[in-house]
Amino acid sequence: MTHDPHDLAGPYVLDALGDTERRRFEHHLPRCAACADETAGLRETTTWLALAVAHRPPDRLRARVMTEIARTRQSPPPLGRRLPSPRTGGLSRLAAAACLVLALIGGGTTWHFHRSAEHAQALNRRVTAVMTAPDAHTSTARAQTATITVVSSRSLGEAVVTTARLQRLPPAKTYQMWWLGPTPPRSAGTLNPPGRPRPLVTTGLGNAQRFGVTIEPAGGSQQPTSAPILTVALG
Amino acid sequence: MTEPTGKPSRTLKPVGDATREPPDLAALLGRVARGDQDAFGQVYELMSRPVYGLALRVVRDPAQAEEIAQDVLVEVWRKASHYRPERGSATSWVLTVAHRRAVDRVRSTQADRDREERTAAPSPDYDEVAEEVGTRLEHQQVRRCMRGLTQTQRESITLAYYGGYTYREVSELLGVGLAAVKTRMRDGLIRLRDCLGAQP
């Protein structure tokens, strides 16, 4: 039997899934911001159910536990958490984002990074440069089901953009990205319909204050013709 | 370590407030992660009752509940550095570990003996579990809010959370389709959350 994994948040937080289904759902969670949010919220509710049945354990338990921990080696923090900074957060979000799209560069020119190894490496270098820049700043915005994360570096003038769960548009429409404020909106390129996960690098950050995404006629517009579906503040 | 970044925004939500996050559990976990045994002693004071009580409710055997509580608390010591404030409250993190451990125990010990039996036909357990939660929940608010659920929502949540049944088993026990059980669990939890969040 097949399932829509989105239905499983309730059983999941109640630990009422079998092993296989639980693994499948946990595999799905990082790829679905809406599911992760809902799951986290429902999980907090189950905490009430636990608190409601609190019961004092036998006194001997404390001594046993304290003895046991004194001789138990602690597990190190998971990798990537030892250097808390915007860019580590950005990297993990990047890894989690589901539908990264294509790479492009502003200033009117769009470069598509194809799937060849050479281009993939070039893209990786660019992504890595932004993510590891000393002034990398991560911002995330959610609207309905879509999520966008922008890691920007003023010193490089570039940003890495990841999107998750953007809906596919009709052929006559395209997503377009913009640098917003304090000057009039400047195009940061168009976004193809969501495909395989791809990071996207945009240039032309300049002194923009926000980053936005609009829906435009295919091919893109000179200036936005509709209100942004998502905006994020830039660092 | 400073206060976890996720905390201030969480206190704005009724749910975070409703779960009565001990004010410093997350901060204590930060100290525990660095090997602070005194901090762990305070974690024990805060969490041993809910952890033991939950294990006891699920496995229904004091000796096993004590074992589970010990395992869970030692795991909290061991994995304190894995707690991620942005993913939820510290209380929820600890109790999730506890619940999963208790449910695993129930499923593994009962698997050989009566699991097939109880999935094949509703056993007396089911009424007992559902009944007890109605009468023995210590927490007044939860008891009141549980009463506000529909009967099938309440039974689905009770059987799964306190009884350790999978939703497939719950579906069999209640004679309700799988899709309906999933929905009732989710809707019931949402209604419960809204009710608890509305508390003063």
Side-chain angles (χ1 to χ4, degrees), chain A residues 162-183:
Chain A
T162 67
T163 59
R165 301 180 60 74
L166 270 183
Q167 291 181 336
R168 197 173 287 275
L169 293 175
K173 301 279 187 186
T174 184
Y175 291 106
Q176 188 164 2
M177 305 177 292
W178 304 93
W179 301 116
L180 303 172
T183 56

Side-chain angles (χ1 to χ4, degrees), chain B residues 129-163:
Chain B
V129 173
E131 179 81 12
E132 270 189 29
V133 170
T135 56
R136 283 186 42 198
L137 282 182
E138 288 86 343
H139 201 291
Q140 296 296 323
Q141 290 180 347
V142 174
R143 189 193 297 178
R144 190 180 72 75
C145 290
M146 286 292 273
R147 280 202 299 265
L149 305 185
T150 67
Q151 189 181 342
T152 46
Q153 286 173 345
R154 186 168 54 245
E155 286 171 341
S156 300
I157 289 173
T158 300
L159 286 166
Y161 195 75
Y162 294 124

Side-chain angles (χ1 to χ4, degrees), chain A residues 7-27:
Chain A
D7 292 346
L8 294 177
Y12 176 71
V13 301
L14 294 167
D15 291 322
L17 295 179
D19 290 343
T20 309
E21 279 177 313
R22 187 178 76 200
R23 278 195 296 272
R24 200 181 303 152
F25 189 75
E26 286 176 344
H27 182 73

Side-chain angles (χ1 to χ4, degrees), chain B residues 70-117:
Chain B
Q70 177 169 339
D71 287 353
V72 168
L73 291 161
V74 172
E75 172 124 344
V76 167
W77 161 261
R78 216 165 61 75
K79 295 209 168 152
S81 65
H82 294 228
Y83 167 60
R84 308 266 303 266
E86 69 274 18
R87 289 195 183 168
S89 69
T91 308
S92 174
W93 181 70
V94 173
L95 293 174
T96 297
V97 174
H99 188 257
R100 201 165 278 181
R101 191 66 65 94
V103 166
D104 284 349
R105 177 69 66 95
V106 164
R107 290 185 190 159
S108 64
T109 56
Q110 293 194 342
D112 308 331
R113 217 158 15 101
D114 55 4
R115 190 147 177 226
E116 282 182 14
E117 188 183 311

Side-chain angles (χ1 to χ4, degrees), chain A:
Chain A
M1 183 183 296
T2 59
H3 294 283
D4 180 354
H6 303 88
D7 292 346
L8 294 177
Y12 176 71
V13 301
L14 294 167
D15 291 322
L17 295 179
D19 290 343
T20 309
E21 279 177 313
R22 187 178 76 200
R23 278 195 296 272
R24 200 181 303 152
F25 189 75
E26 286 176 344
H27 182 73
H28 172 70
L29 265 185
R31 292 161 177 77
C32 174
C35 308
D37 281 353
E38 172 162 73
T39 300
L42 295 180
R43 176 75 80 194
E44 297 291 330
T45 303
T46 65
T47 300
W48 271 97
L49 297 172
L51 294 174
V53 293
H55 195 288
R56 186 183 171 84
D59 291 341
R60 61 178 174 265
L61 180 63
R62 189 178 206 282
R64 280 191 195 166
V65 168
M66 295 309 287
T67 304
E68 190 64 27
I69 63 135
R71 62 183 183 212
T72 299
R73 186 180 157 76
Q74 290 181 291
S75 162
L79 282 178
R81 297 193 58 214
R82 293 181 191 177
L83 297 171
S85 75
R87 35 180 215 257
T88 32
L91 279 168
S92 66
R93 285 202 192 100
L94 177 69
C99 308
L100 318 186
V101 198
L102 50 83
L104 48 86
I105 296 189
T109 311
T110 301
W111 296 355
H112 292 258
F113 286 86
H114 299 290
R115 288 179 198 166
S116 71
E118 188 186 338
H119 283 99
Q121 283 167 15
L123 174 58
N124 285 345
R125 278 196 299 273
R126 296 181 64 88
V127 169
T128 305
V130 174
M131 306 289 269
T132 58
D135 61 344
H137 179 273
T138 304
S139 350
T140 297
R142 292 195 176 86
Q144 294 167 355
T145 61
T147 301
I148 187 166
T149 297
V150 179
V151 183
S152 55
S153 163
R154 296 274 179 200
S155 63
L156 295 174
E158 296 187 351
V160 173
V161 178
T162 67
T163 59
R165 301 180 60 74
L166 270 183
Q167 291 181 336
R168 197 173 287 275
L169 293 175
K173 301 279 187 186
T174 184
Y175 291 106
Q176 188 164 2
M177 305 177 292
W178 304 93
W179 301 116
L180 303 172
T183 56
R186 291 177 290 120
S187 175
T190 55
L191 273 173
N192 275 351
R196 288 167 61 86
R198 291 269 187 104
L200 171 163
V201 182
T202 66
T203 61
L205 170 62
N207 60 348
Q209 296 160 327
R210 288 174 300 125
F211 181 91
V213 176
T214 61
I215 296 173
E216 301 294 333
S221 305
Q222 292 293 319
Q223 285 292 306
T225 60
S226 60
I229 57 166
L230 278 165
T231 62
V232 298
L234 299 168

